[in-house]
Amino acid sequence: MLRLMNGLHLPTRGRVAVAGLDTVRNRKDLPAKVGFLFQNPDHQLIFPTVVEEVAFGPAERGVSAPKAHQQAMALLERQGCAQWADRNVNELSGGQKQLICILALLAMEPSILLMDEPFASLDLPTRLVLYRRIMALPQRVVMASHDFELLAEFDRIIWLDAGHVRLDGRPAEVLPAYRAHAMIVGVGDALA
């Protein structure tokens, strides 16, 4: 679903529109409106230093290199990460890498952030810190996750099963139904 929403995959039938943009007709315009966070930050990071990574998006949108660098530094400063600016991204922890990927998306000023399992492989303290940062963002966040504890605070959960919407509603409704379903089908599937 996330890959359809950001134009990485195109629909084979029907139509997908995100932020008023058709993902086929307006594919090149999607990055300005929709940011996509990969599950593994190593699949997203492409520049050697933090500031270069954060400045890339604005530079790609036509901002001059000095101005993009200035904007990246300002964003890093606002987020309390300015001391990382010249660090090699390969020297960062998993949580720091994930945060830099999010900041690189924010530098593009999208209205929607799509996140694929952003807490995978992170320890509990790092998950909680990153979660609080995500929940404080003004952007709409669409997240694929199996982290039920953190999903409980979202406004809406859509349970997808084999490409179909199984249930769509508030966490208090969807999460217990999903757990009950998992208990019934999970035992046989897990032991098979």
Side-chain angles (χ1 to χ4, degrees):
M1 179 179 83
L2 296 178
R3 292 177 186 272
L4 283 169
M5 290 176 71
N6 76 348
L8 285 177
H9 291 173
L10 299 177
T12 55
R13 58 186 155 88
R15 169 179 181 274
V16 177
V18 179
L21 299 174
D22 183 286
T23 60
V24 174
R25 286 194 306 249
N26 307 110
R27 192 174 186 182
K28 68 178 192 287
D29 299 323
L30 282 173
K33 299 276 186 186
V34 181
F36 182 67
L37 182 74
F38 289 81
Q39 180 176 354
N40 183 341
D42 290 327
H43 295 164
Q44 191 156 343
L45 296 167
I46 57 175
F47 286 92
T49 68
V50 168
V51 71
E52 288 173 299
E53 186 68 36
V54 176
F56 173 68
E60 277 294 297
R61 292 181 63 198
V63 175
S64 71
K67 181 73 172 170
H69 184 274
Q70 180 184 17
Q71 289 176 352
M73 286 303 299
L75 178 59
L76 289 169
E77 181 69 38
R78 284 193 307 275
Q79 294 294 323
C81 303
Q83 70 278 12
W84 300 350
D86 295 322
R87 284 189 63 188
N88 186 308
V89 295
N90 293 321
E91 297 172 358
L92 301 175
S93 71
Q96 290 169 333
K97 286 180 180 180
Q98 196 69 297
L99 178 57
I100 294 307
C101 288
I102 292 170
L103 296 182
L105 295 177
L106 294 178
M108 298 282 290
E109 301 178 342
S111 58
I112 298 173
L113 293 174
L114 307 176
M115 298 184 172
D116 184 10
E117 296 281 357
F119 312 115
S121 302
L122 299 179
D123 62 21
L124 181 59
T126 305
R127 283 175 39 220
L128 295 174
V129 167
L130 191 59
Y131 174 76
R132 284 192 296 271
R133 282 180 175 261
I134 291 170
M135 295 305 282
L137 294 172
Q139 286 83 0
R140 176 172 286 173
V141 175
V142 178
M143 181 185 299
S145 181
H146 293 92
D147 195 330
F148 291 160
E149 292 174 37
L150 301 181
L151 289 175
E153 293 186 33
F154 272 69
D155 298 326
R156 178 180 177 194
I157 295 180
I158 301 171
W159 169 14
L160 296 176
D161 186 13
H164 300 284
V165 175
R166 182 83 178 243
L167 196 56
D168 179 352
R170 307 219 27 97
E173 171 191 358
V174 178
L175 292 177
Y178 180 79
R179 283 181 197 272
H181 174 75
M183 293 296 291
I184 294 169
V185 300
V187 172
D189 293 341
L191 299 177

